[in-house]
Amino acid sequence: MNHPVGKEPLLVLEKAAKRFGAVRALEDGSVTLHPGEAHALLGENGAGKSTLVKILAGVHQPDSGRLVIGGTPVVLSGPAASRAAGVSIIYQEPTLFPDLTVAENIFMGRQPRRAGRRIDRTAMNKAAVAVFERLGVQLDPQRQARGLSVADQQIVEIAKALSLDAKVLVMDEPTAALTSVEVERLFDVMRTLREQGAAVLFISHRIEEVLASCQRVTIMRDGRFVSTAPIEEVTADSIIRSMVGRELGALFPKTETDPGETVLEVDHLTREGVFEDISFSVRRGEIVALAGLVGAGRSEVARAIFGIDRRTSGTVRVNGRSLRNGAPAAAMAAGVALVPEDRRQQGLVMDMGIDRNVALASLGRLGRFGLIRRGSERDLASTWADRLQLKFGRMKNEVSTLSGGNQQKVVLGKWLARGPSLLIIDEPTRGIDVGTKAEVHRILDGLVSDGMAVLMISSELPEVLGMADRVLVLHEGRITAELSRAEADEDSIMRAATGYAAVAS
Amino acid sequence: MTPDITTKPSETVSYRGADDGGQPLWRKLVRWETALVFVLIAVLIFGSAKESGFLDGTNFFYISLNMGEIAIMALPLTLIVMTGEIDLSVASMLGLSGTVMGSLFHDGWSVWAAMAAALLVGAAGGALNGLLVAKMGLPSIAVTIGTLTLFRGLAEIVLAPRTITGFPISLTKIGVVPVQGTKIAWSALIFLVLAIIFGVVLHATALGRSIVAIGLQPEAARFSGVRVDRIKFGLYVVSGVFCALAGILFTLKNSSVSYDAGTGLELNVVAIVLLGGVSIFGGRGTVIGVVLAVVIVGCLQQALTQMGVQPEVQNIVTGSLLLVSVLVPNSGELVRRIRARRRRGPVPAA
């Protein structure tokens, strides 16, 4: 903070709103960036940060709101316009041309030329070195981009932004894939950029990084601007409170149940580089939620339990029987069902009929000698369509013709038809309208009341708090908290999810 | 455990979706197989108009004799294409297995033992394809172009420049005499029996359902417990074995074998599978369509031959058939893409 924050703001975004169909992604996106500041943008999953970034990047055009860059109101019609206005975006995973050199990547499309329109490599490499010197990093401009670490790739992107005379750098979770040494270097680069009068908008889930490297912080929640404050006036606690401080929306139908015997036991489960040393159990008649930020490794844990991905070490036992590594069919035989995160790719065969999709996980049970009796298939499907109150035209209609909520019911029916003892359900209500959401919650509650064990992964805190008997919080591939229904609240979950579990509340 | 979730009676509300997955309108009205029947009738009329004895029993025997081995190889390939993969090594496998059989027979093995060895070679070759495609995840088009060359090269080492003859006449007469009391060749009869089996497997068994699911959406299939790798591997082994069977029949029919037996036949096999309406992208197709395609191609070739059309020109016909059968079923998608490209072109985003 040895560098004073300038008076005239570089960029002002006011009350930007953006909707996609019926979904309001952003209702009030507001942020003001001054020259020479690193400004943090914080918020939960779905708070509208990415939409705001994409508006600044020119990828999305806001439905309403005002954007002023350098004192003049602008409309960014596309990424090129955004770049021309002096805004550069550094993404978490930069996309460089792997076969080109570092310098070629920096000057792509505007390489210095010699006579005869030939590229002047010497001048280009010299210019690249000059940019790196400004940034205070050492990187060989003549090496291939292939094999650069993510951190170095980000540096190349930043160099590219500098060479374009970018005044505003937006870094979208740049540190998520970096080691601590690399994070330090990135902070050094950020400081250099600030000293040269640029503004950095820094997006991160790691609150400690924000406290260490930014001058001001803006918090968003549910698509709305909440507050902007100088870093001296906030604490990790106050930030977390602002991020989650909202009312529990809908009431959740949660019947009190008495958990029975253990169904799932996960012991020291590890998948190298993804998650580590995960141990927990789920009993009959309880819903255990896996909470955490996107990318914390929740879905990956579910995939490893079900056998889609192989585990590096650890054991998974279902009803006392140890599951073979990497064998979904074995997990299914043991009574496990997985309703995956991505309905369209993983949950359903979109071009197959409702009946065939429901039957797909029960093929072996629909007849003898591997032959399928069409009658039993149709009966199975209509039984579950009835139970789950599926709204459809005809059984043989392709599931791609159904609404998201009804598609989710087909996936549920497909798995419930097997009568599983453990249901793993990843984002049970993502992309589902409010009415069907409540229906899915009622279905889950009914299943648990009847003695099923449910492991639920959800990014929606109200859903986690409303449905779960116990909450496991993952942060960067490790369980950072196990909370009972009584202990769990938005504060405690967010604190553990951002790696602040140790901080006393 | 079947928990009762709802107590309310179900209400079936008709839900109309957007569109049926980008299929052209005529495709919804006319099934591909129906179209094939009309094409077949057209070919028969065309053939009869040019040649009075075209619908004659003897002619039919020759057609079935010509097509038997190709048709047998088309069946496993149908299943492989249904999973979204391909096997281009089929004709080389035919050549290699025939060569192995001939060479062992020449070395004094009994003809039955030589046949069994040929089938084993087929299984091994198929397992190699399956290993590379299913277990190692390599693209099947590249793998099977590789084994196409490899198998043919092995056949050349085993046999060239010899040509083996002298197989027992009791067996080689399948190339001259139809099945007793009928007008069809032995290989064609075997094909028909196999076609029924493959049809049942594809359309009425758990395995067939799994194959369709793999072709349409491999990830969803895996998430449903379908053993994608194992099924693909198995199909390549099956393909190898049936190509070896075709190799045996081909050898006996000609009562001789040389290393270049059946060179180039893979394109006929692929053309038949695609003409039969099996989508090259996987997931769509029927065995009955492939059977119809076999008959159409057989009759068409026979008609052209009887008219004295040069083999080179017949190749042009085969190639065109291949293109048409890929182009027509996907025309809707193609038109959509071209339109989308146009729209994207001059108009700036937003």
Side-chain angles (χ1 to χ4, degrees):
Chain A
M1 276 136 279
N2 44 12
H3 202 82
V5 168
K7 285 253 182 315
E8 199 59 33
L10 267 179
L11 180 148
V12 180
L13 181 68
E14 262 178 11
K15 302 220 176 297
K18 178 76 188 171
R19 28 191 324 150
F20 299 99
V23 181
R24 284 202 207 95
L26 192 62
E27 286 186 70
D28 172 10
S30 299
V31 70
T32 303
L33 301 177
H34 290 282
E37 76 164 337
H39 191 122
L41 181 62
L42 291 170
E44 277 186 276
N45 303 331
K49 294 173 308 212
S50 321
T51 312
L52 191 149
V53 167
K54 285 185 178 147
I55 285 174
L56 295 184
V59 175
H60 293 328
Q61 282 67 44
D63 303 327
S64 61
R66 213 164 75 97
L67 178 60
V68 180
I69 296 178
T72 32
V74 290
V75 175
L76 302 180
S77 56
S82 163
R83 219 174 296 133
V87 179
S88 272
I89 317 284
I90 315 297
Y91 290 102
Q92 186 179 348
E93 303 267 344
T95 43
L96 301 179
F97 297 98
D99 295 311
L100 300 184
T101 68
V102 166
E104 282 169 329
N105 267 291
I106 294 175
F107 296 103
M108 191 69 214
R110 49 199 175 85
Q111 297 92 336
R113 301 268 179 80
R114 291 195 290 161
R117 297 180 62 80
R118 285 173 300 166
I119 293 175
D120 187 344
R121 287 182 180 282
T122 326
M124 187 168 71
N125 289 334
K126 224 182 254 166
V129 171
V131 177
F132 287 138
E133 263 167 22
R134 272 177 71 191
L135 287 173
V137 294
Q138 293 204 322
L139 209 57
D140 177 8
Q142 298 191 54
R143 71 159 287 177
Q144 265 195 354
R146 187 186 301 282
L148 281 179
S149 69
V150 172
D152 284 343
Q153 293 179 37
Q154 286 174 351
I155 296 291
V156 173
E157 289 279 0
I158 293 172
K160 188 172 172 179
L162 264 192
S163 72
L164 279 161
D165 282 325
K167 287 276 166 264
V168 176
L169 273 94
V170 180
M171 300 193 189
D172 194 356
E173 288 192 53
T175 57
L178 304 192
T179 65
S180 53
V181 179
E182 291 168 336
V183 169
E184 278 310 313
R185 187 181 64 167
L186 183 68
F187 287 169
D188 285 343
V189 168
M190 273 167 66
R191 199 167 305 126
T192 314
L193 290 170
R194 288 199 288 110
E195 281 161 8
Q196 294 171 7
V200 178
L201 183 65
F202 180 74
I203 295 159
S204 172
H205 280 313
R206 297 178 179 167
I207 293 167
E208 74 261 43
E209 288 180 359
V210 168
L211 293 174
S213 64
C214 295
Q215 284 73 55
R216 293 199 303 157
V217 50
T218 292
I219 293 170
M220 293 182 70
R221 185 204 311 147
D222 297 336
R224 294 177 166 280
F225 169 84
V226 175
S227 64
T228 295
I231 208 78
E232 300 85 4
E233 293 172 18
V234 297
T235 62
D237 267 354
S238 73
I239 289 175
I240 290 172
R241 254 198 309 279
S242 308
M243 278 163 69
V244 300
R246 78 183 139 193
E247 300 299 312
L248 271 189
L251 280 175
F252 289 88
K254 179 68 183 142
T255 317
E256 285 306 315
T257 55
D258 231 351
E261 62 269 34
T262 303
V263 176
L264 172 71
E265 282 169 275
V266 176
D267 220 16
H268 301 297
L269 191 68
T270 298
R271 182 170 161 81
E272 223 174 280
V274 186
F275 54 80
E276 241 177 291
D277 199 22
I278 305 287
S279 300
F280 64 93
S281 63
V282 184
R283 293 187 291 169
R284 268 176 68 95
E286 72 170 348
I287 298 181
V288 172
L290 272 183
L293 300 166
V294 170
R298 299 166 304 170
S299 301
E300 288 76 6
V301 169
R303 289 166 63 114
I305 292 173
F306 191 65
I308 294 287
D309 297 334
R310 295 182 68 84
R311 51 185 188 256
T312 315
S313 63
T315 57
V316 178
R317 273 198 300 279
V318 174
N319 294 319
R321 271 165 56 199
S322 185
L323 289 192
R324 228 170 60 226
N325 195 356
M332 284 162 66
V336 186
L338 171 66
V339 174
E341 182 182 15
D342 184 345
R343 228 170 6 242
R344 305 177 68 85
Q345 289 296 321
Q346 304 166 340
L348 296 167
V349 180
M350 297 303 281
D351 292 341
M352 273 194 340
I354 296 166
D355 48 358
R356 294 192 170 197
N357 266 290
V358 172
L360 192 58
S362 312
L363 289 175
R365 306 174 173 197
L366 292 173
R368 262 188 276 174
F369 315 117
L371 289 170
I372 291 175
R373 299 222 326 270
R374 297 249 163 114
S376 353
E377 184 177 45
R378 230 169 287 133
D379 289 350
L380 183 84
S382 49
T383 305
W384 285 98
D386 269 9
R387 284 219 179 126
L388 302 176
Q389 292 182 284
L390 186 73
K391 296 181 177 58
F392 65 101
R394 284 158 63 190
M395 267 300 163
K396 55 176 230 179
N397 285 0
E398 296 177 351
V399 290
S400 56
T401 63
L402 299 176
S403 67
N406 280 300
Q407 286 177 1
Q408 185 71 332
K409 287 182 180 179
V410 175
V411 186
L412 268 170
K414 158 177 153 184
W415 287 108
L416 296 181
R418 291 186 56 88
S421 50
L422 169 71
L423 176 68
I424 305 174
I425 185 162
D426 196 350
E427 301 291 359
T429 58
R430 174 178 289 175
I432 292 181
D433 57 287
V434 181
T436 318
K437 236 177 191 175
E439 265 185 84
V440 170
H441 290 142
R442 253 200 310 283
I443 292 168
L444 285 179
D445 188 56
L447 293 170
V448 183
S449 299
D450 287 323
M452 198 177 285
V454 173
L455 178 64
M456 178 180 84
I457 295 165
S458 175
S459 295
E460 292 187 37
L461 276 180
E463 187 168 79
V464 170
L465 295 173
M467 297 302 297
D469 294 289
R470 278 190 296 137
V471 182
L472 303 166
V473 188
L474 253 71
H475 171 65
E476 298 187 348
R478 286 174 171 278
I479 293 184
T480 47
E482 175 166 355
L483 307 164
S484 69
R485 189 169 171 77
E487 292 167 330
D489 56 28
E490 306 209 340
D491 259 31
S492 56
I493 292 177
M494 276 314 285
R495 191 162 289 128
T498 47
Y500 262 85
V503 180
S505 50
Chain B
M1 186 170 54
T2 44
D4 187 17
I5 281 156
T6 69
T7 43
K8 273 191 271 176
S10 78
E11 39 179 334
T12 309
V13 178
S14 172
Y15 182 89
R16 279 269 138 243
D19 70 338
D20 287 356
Q23 285 189 353
L25 180 66
W26 65 265
R27 190 83 164 84
K28 288 179 221 161
L29 301 176
V30 188
R31 287 187 49 152
W32 183 259
E33 289 76 11
T34 322
L36 286 181
V37 171
F38 286 116
V39 172
L40 175 59
I41 293 170
V43 169
L44 291 178
I45 292 171
F46 168 75
S48 316
K50 296 286 171 187
E51 202 74 37
S52 55
F54 190 72
L55 294 172
D56 188 78
T58 320
N59 211 6
F60 190 66
F61 170 67
Y62 283 124
I63 292 173
S64 65
L65 194 63
N66 273 334
M67 295 304 294
E69 295 85 15
I70 294 173
I72 288 171
M73 293 192 288
L75 289 172
L77 185 65
T78 299
L79 300 193
I80 288 176
V81 175
M82 287 290 287
T83 66
E85 304 288 353
I86 189 107
D87 185 356
L88 294 176
S89 70
V90 287
S92 295
M93 194 69 246
L94 177 149
L96 177 60
S97 53
T99 301
V100 166
M101 170 185 161
S103 134
L104 291 176
F105 176 72
H106 184 76
D107 292 349
W109 288 41
S110 88
V111 71
W112 299 104
M115 284 184 198
L119 290 175
L120 277 179
V121 167
L128 176 64
N129 279 332
L131 196 75
L132 295 171
V133 174
K135 305 285 174 187
M136 299 183 61
L138 300 174
S140 56
I141 184 136
V143 166
T144 57
I145 284 177
T147 48
L148 178 156
T149 319
L150 173 71
F151 294 159
R152 191 62 74 183
L154 288 174
E156 194 168 356
I157 289 172
V158 170
L159 209 59
R162 298 172 293 167
T163 296
I164 307 292
T165 54
F167 296 104
I169 293 173
S170 59
L171 290 173
T172 55
K173 72 173 187 211
I174 68 162
V176 197
V177 188
V179 180
Q180 215 170 14
T182 68
K183 293 284 184 191
I184 84 170
W186 277 99
S187 58
L189 178 70
I190 293 172
F191 163 70
L192 288 175
V193 173
L194 288 175
I196 292 168
I197 296 171
F198 273 78
V200 170
V201 166
L202 180 58
H203 301 300
T205 65
L207 175 62
R209 263 327 140 64
S210 304
I211 287 171
V212 172
I214 292 170
L216 289 174
Q217 214 138 322
E219 210 182 349
R222 220 155 73 80
F223 272 83
S224 305
V226 173
R227 293 167 195 189
V228 178
D229 296 353
R230 191 184 293 191
I231 288 176
K232 281 188 180 174
F233 179 82
L235 289 180
Y236 277 104
V237 174
V238 168
S239 176
V241 170
F242 283 100
C243 291
L245 174 66
I248 292 168
L249 293 169
F250 195 81
T251 304
L252 294 178
K253 176 174 85 179
N254 296 323
S255 64
S256 78
V257 62
S258 59
Y259 79 91
D260 58 354
T263 301
L265 283 187
E266 59 275 338
L267 291 186
N268 298 47
V269 180
V270 171
I272 282 170
V273 171
L274 297 185
L275 177 65
V278 181
S279 165
I280 190 76
F281 303 112
R284 294 178 208 277
T286 60
V287 169
I288 188 75
V290 173
V291 173
L292 284 168
V294 166
V295 182
I296 289 171
V297 170
C299 292
L300 192 59
Q301 278 185 358
Q302 186 70 3
L304 293 174
T305 308
Q306 285 179 349
M307 285 159 59
V309 175
Q310 298 299 310
E312 294 77 22
V313 180
Q314 295 195 24
N315 282 344
I316 294 174
V317 173
T318 310
S320 309
L321 266 181
L322 222 156
L323 284 179
V324 168
S325 38
V326 177
L327 207 61
V328 174
N330 296 303
S331 55
E333 174 68 12
L334 282 173
V335 169
R336 221 163 46 81
R337 267 191 221 160
I338 290 166
R339 273 200 207 132
R341 197 171 304 156
R342 285 230 186 94
R343 232 177 291 134
R344 256 206 314 275
V347 187

